[in-house]
Every structure is written in C-alpha cells, then in structure tokens.
Amino acid sequence: MKALKRDLQSVAKSLKLLTQKTERMASKLAKLEKTQADKSPRVRASTRTAKKTSPAKAKKVTATGSVLGIIQSSKNGVDTETLKRKTGFSDKKIWNIINRQKRQGAIKSVRRGFYVST
C-alpha cells in the first residue's frame, strides 16, 4: 500500500512539472507570435489589373504529325520517296516514324515502301 501511495505521489509530481513546462512554453510562444506579428509588413491592397491574355498561338506540328498528315491526306497511300520529298526528313527518321505508327495501328503497309492510313 505504501508503494502504491509513493508511486501516485511521484506521478502527481511529474504531472505538476509537466504542467509548469507547458505553461512556460505557451507563454514563450505567445511572445514569439507577438513579435512576429509586429515585424510582419503591412499588406496593401493590390492595384494590379488582370493579366492580359495573348492571342492563341499555333501549335507546333511534330514530325510524326506531319508524316501522318501526309499519309492520311492521300487516298491511295504514299511511298517513302514522296514522304522524303514533302517533309525533308532523312530515311532513318521516316523509317522510325512509320514503324512506330505501324505498331500503334495508325498506318499499315500495303506493299514494301507504300503506306496507307487505317
């Protein structure tokens, strides 16, 4: 019974110390907030007008988009020489674009070097 009483007194003493510490911390925090509020600059009303929007810019056409556009605009399909002539791209670039689009199913090969839109 004595041990229990001693434990309860110890807990009560610890709680009292914790209460004092929290009260000190709260007062320090209140002082700090007050000094921060004093130091903060005054906010003025904004006199700025709304930002002007520029007219819509034309979107850049990608290499893939230009090749697909040429293929889709042709009724009977297009060969690689025509694509080279119209776009100015190298063989390798046209080959890469065509293979990528074939895998995605956007175009198909009718015969070697001749492509149509799906």
Side-chain angles (χ1 to χ4, degrees):
M1 196 70 157
K2 287 184 181 183
L4 181 62
K5 188 175 181 180
R6 205 173 336 135
D7 289 339
L8 286 174
Q9 288 175 344
S10 174
V11 169
K13 186 176 179 180
S14 297
L15 285 174
K16 188 175 180 179
L17 288 173
L18 284 173
T19 304
Q20 291 173 352
K21 283 184 181 181
T22 53
E23 287 173 353
R24 276 188 256 140
M25 289 172 61
S27 66
K28 286 182 182 179
L29 183 62
K31 287 179 185 177
L32 183 66
E33 287 175 346
K34 184 179 177 183
T35 57
Q36 290 294 327
D38 292 341
K39 291 181 182 179
S40 66
R42 305 269 188 255
V43 178
R44 295 185 206 172
S46 178
T47 58
R48 293 183 184 172
T49 58
K51 197 174 200 180
K52 295 180 182 179
T53 58
S54 61
K57 295 181 181 178
K59 291 185 178 181
K60 291 185 179 179
V61 178
T62 62
T64 303
S66 62
V67 170
L68 273 177
I70 294 169
I71 294 172
Q72 289 171 347
S73 66
S74 172
K75 292 181 182 178
N76 299 327
V78 180
D79 62 343
T80 53
E81 289 302 317
T82 307
L83 288 172
K84 274 178 46 177
R85 189 177 65 248
K86 287 187 175 183
T87 60
F89 298 150
S90 67
D91 289 335
K92 179 76 171 172
K93 188 168 191 169
I94 291 174
W95 185 84
N96 285 334
I97 293 169
I98 288 173
N99 279 332
R100 189 177 323 115
Q101 295 307 310
K102 281 172 49 176
R103 275 186 273 132
Q104 291 177 358
I107 61 175
K108 65 179 180 178
S109 179
V110 178
R111 62 180 186 261
R112 184 175 176 176
F114 202 81
Y115 307 99
V116 293
S117 179
T118 56

